[in-house]
Amino acid sequence: MSSGTEQGEAGAVGADGQTLTVTDNRTGRSYELPITDGTIRGIDLRQIKVSEDDFGLMSYDPAFMNTASCRSAITFIDGDKGILEYRGYPIEQLAEHSSYLEVAYLLIHGELPSREQLDAWSHEITIHTFVHENVKRFMQGFRHDAHPMGMLLGAVGALSTFYPDAKEIRDPLSRHIQTIRLIAKLPTLAAFSFRHMRGQPYVYPVNDLSYAGNFLSMMYKMTELRYEPDPRLERALDILFILHADHEQNCSTSAVRSVGSSGVDPYSAVAAGIGALYGPLHGGANEAVLRMLRRIESRENIPAFIAGVKNGTELLMGFGHRVYKNYDPRAKIIKKATEDVFEVTGRNPLLDIAVELEQIALEDEYFVSRRLYPNVDFYSGLIYEALGLPVEMFPVMFAIGRTSGWIAQWLEMVDDPDLKIARPRQIYTGPRTRRYVDIADR
Ligand code: CMC
């Protein structure tokens, strides 16, 4: 383990052979901290003290804006250049040539599968799509108007009670079967929550359909003996799942890792991720985009809306990103998929507003100077709406795709030699050592 040393002693150097010299102006002492992979270790700051009984220096980083919480070999993002890669493969290539189940395999195993491996993987996932009948029964117990994301959150957490072997997180066989179950059952639970919201009977999985095709069947099958998904919708949905599969240490993935670091089973850890994704700042921006487009109503109103954005009374939803300061590569792919979906479902006039809004914004100095580009949510809501989904289902769709990423990150974490239970420090700001006052005297 690397640690810093006071200057004068032999300085510890990082694996890159680089160091950082810090001078504490409170004491005049200097410290040499190793730099590895462009980072210093937070714990190396602890040696910087004003006195022997001083706790030592900490860093304050609310929202982890500049803190790497783990080492990971799963997803690479270069936000300045607009690059997203899963295990080194550019997202554009995966969206064009791969399938969601192949991408899930890649994220989890680190390599693309051979034909035999992919067939075996797809088969295993397909034969685990059913859920215990009691899962169906307790889902039926939710209120008639229950939010489907809340239902999904509860149902995934409850799976841990159906598979108590899942707590054997050190057992590779147990980890494998829980991985399969989670990827297989998420669409089933998601579709059940949708049918529940509609007051319609739940539809069981059909195992000779594709992953996306079976999901469409569980969502939309009515009285027909067999639901035949339109291959163009099936493909568009599969692409959306691919694009949402992972995005390194975002809010929900950090939740999965943080909760998982306690050693809990993966169902409970993934349920925590679903909870994080439920929030409007994470899984809900595409809904805001739809509301915004409806409010703009027609192309003639776009200039007035843009003027509102520039004078600070409006926000162009679906634009801007904490990490991407360039076109979000996922937005480009979704824009193209949107056109394909509308070929089947008929064109939504909101698409024309969105396209023109994008064109105007990309040429406007306000957006150019702030490096604001469309993000993944700018077009995805339009596809979901075209598929007949109410806005409550949007984060549920995100959760289905993200499940493979959450599990890949959880599996990587469980085997990480640096793993410790997540336990941030705080800066205490409250009162100290007060005398308890009897209630009669307050
Ligand atoms: N419309 C208008 N102005 C914007 C927007 C926007 N969408 N986004 C940022 N700005 C301005 C912001 O006002 C600031 O201007 P100034 O320098 O004059 O104060 C400047 O751009 C920098 O923005 P910021 O707020 O410092 O950027 P951030 O990294 O804190 O925020 C964001 C990122 C995504 C929260 C923000 O861009 C935003 O609110 N976008 C709209 C909501 C949205 O589309 N969210 C989906 C994110 S992608 C899905 C996911 O990954 O979960």
Side-chain angles (χ1 to χ4, degrees):
M1 213 206 98
S2 58
S3 71
T5 53
E6 267 193 64
Q7 221 170 33
E9 299 165 29
V13 289
D16 304 344
Q18 298 166 340
T19 61
L20 172 75
T21 301
V22 180
T23 303
D24 185 347
N25 293 324
R26 299 170 301 176
T27 59
R29 281 205 287 269
S30 285
Y31 302 82
E32 196 175 353
L33 311 180
I35 298 178
T36 307
D37 296 324
T39 59
I40 57 162
R41 289 221 170 208
I43 197 73
D44 285 350
L45 298 173
R46 193 73 76 70
Q47 64 184 308
I48 304 177
K49 300 179 174 192
V50 286
S51 62
E52 255 324 291
D53 58 356
D54 180 6
F55 182 77
L57 203 64
M58 295 193 299
S59 64
Y60 175 57
D61 190 12
F64 307 116
M65 300 270 287
N66 196 40
T67 294
S69 61
C70 62
R71 302 171 67 85
S72 180
I74 299 173
T75 290
F76 173 81
I77 301 176
D78 182 331
D80 282 334
K81 298 200 180 105
I83 295 173
L84 169 61
E85 295 173 358
Y86 295 161
R87 300 285 190 183
Y89 292 98
I91 192 70
E92 293 83 358
Q93 290 181 28
L94 294 172
E96 190 177 343
H97 302 294
S98 188
S99 65
Y100 175 68
L101 286 188
E102 186 178 58
V103 165
Y105 185 99
L106 171 69
L107 287 169
I108 285 162
H109 294 94
E111 296 296 338
L112 286 168
S114 65
R115 166 56 55 201
E116 292 73 37
Q117 286 168 327
L118 180 59
D119 288 347
W121 172 251
S122 305
H123 175 72
E124 249 192 309
I125 289 174
T126 306
I127 59 169
H128 282 91
T129 49
F130 275 68
V131 293
H132 193 288
E133 277 298 287
N134 284 357
V135 172
K136 194 183 89 179
R137 286 194 200 103
F138 83 68
M139 288 186 80
Q140 283 167 333
F142 278 100
R143 251 177 72 133
H144 71 280
D145 57 353
H147 195 294
M149 193 66 164
M151 289 182 69
L152 188 70
L153 170 58
V156 170
L159 287 184
S160 72
T161 68
F162 288 82
Y163 305 111
D165 57 320
K167 67 176 183 301
E168 305 302 336
I169 63 165
R170 294 270 146 232
D171 173 4
L173 259 179
S174 167
R175 292 206 298 240
H176 174 74
I177 187 66
Q178 316 319 331
T179 296
I180 297 289
R181 283 174 176 151
L182 270 161
I183 296 173
K185 294 181 200 309
L186 248 285
T188 311
L189 300 176
F192 281 8
S193 68
F194 173 72
R195 303 285 294 204
H196 185 87
M197 190 184 180
R198 289 270 176 105
Q200 293 169 346
Y202 301 177
V203 176
Y204 287 106
V206 175
N207 283 352
D208 61 352
L209 289 173
S210 72
Y211 190 78
N214 170 51
F215 178 65
L216 287 169
S217 164
M218 292 187 291
M219 296 281 287
Y220 299 121
K221 182 174 180 298
M222 296 306 287
T223 55
E224 64 271 43
L225 278 181
R226 185 183 160 85
Y227 175 91
E228 291 297 345
D230 185 303
R232 291 166 295 180
L233 298 184
E234 214 174 332
R235 180 65 191 147
L237 200 55
D238 209 52
I239 291 174
L240 281 171
F241 291 154
I242 292 173
L243 299 182
H244 285 94
D246 198 52
H247 214 230
E248 49 117 314
Q249 307 313 315
N250 54 85
C251 179
S252 58
T253 302
S254 301
V256 170
R257 279 186 178 258
S258 188
V259 170
S261 74
S262 72
V264 77
D265 68 88
Y267 300 102
S268 304
V270 167
I274 295 174
L277 192 62
Y278 203 167
L281 294 184
H282 192 2
N286 43 15
E287 172 182 352
V289 172
L290 270 193
R291 291 192 201 287
M292 173 190 75
L293 294 175
R294 284 203 196 102
R295 206 154 46 83
I296 296 175
E297 211 182 344
S298 76
R299 287 154 66 180
E300 295 73 61
N301 298 331
I302 293 176
F305 178 80
I306 295 278
V309 173
K310 287 158 80 168
N311 69 29
T313 53
E314 298 278 8
L315 204 54
L316 178 47
M317 298 311 292
F319 258 64
H321 198 277
R322 173 62 58 77
V323 176
Y324 294 115
K325 301 302 169 195
N326 202 322
Y327 213 105
D328 180 337
R330 301 169 299 175
K332 273 190 201 143
I333 302 164
I334 293 187
K335 187 176 176 186
K336 160 85 181 55
T338 310
E339 300 280 359
D340 297 345
V341 167
F342 285 163
E343 244 178 55
V344 184
T345 62
R347 197 174 176 83
N348 184 336
L350 293 182
L351 178 64
D352 299 324
I353 301 179
V355 170
E356 191 158 329
L357 196 52
E358 179 195 329
Q359 250 165 22
I360 293 176
L362 290 183
E363 284 167 11
D364 192 295
E365 200 278 328
Y366 175 93
F367 299 92
V368 174
S369 64
R370 287 169 179 77
R371 305 186 69 188
L372 300 172
Y373 293 87
N375 60 48
V376 67
D377 287 325
F378 195 65
Y379 288 104
S380 62
L382 285 168
I383 296 194
Y384 292 147
E385 191 177 63
L387 292 176
L389 293 171
V391 289
E392 292 87 343
M393 278 300 286
F394 292 5
V396 173
M397 304 301 290
F398 194 152
I400 297 174
R402 186 53 57 87
T403 296
S404 56
W406 285 332
I407 302 168
Q409 301 271 350
W410 175 79
L411 288 166
E412 186 181 63
M413 182 202 68
V414 170
D415 273 344
D416 187 341
D418 280 348
L419 174 65
K420 281 189 182 304
I421 186 167
R423 205 320 185 171
R425 293 277 173 184
Q426 63 165 7
I427 301 170
Y428 179 70
T429 60
R432 288 289 321 278
T433 329
R434 299 204 277 182
R435 255 181 96 86
Y436 181 80
V437 181
D438 193 85
I439 195 160
D441 300 327
R442 284 176 226 160

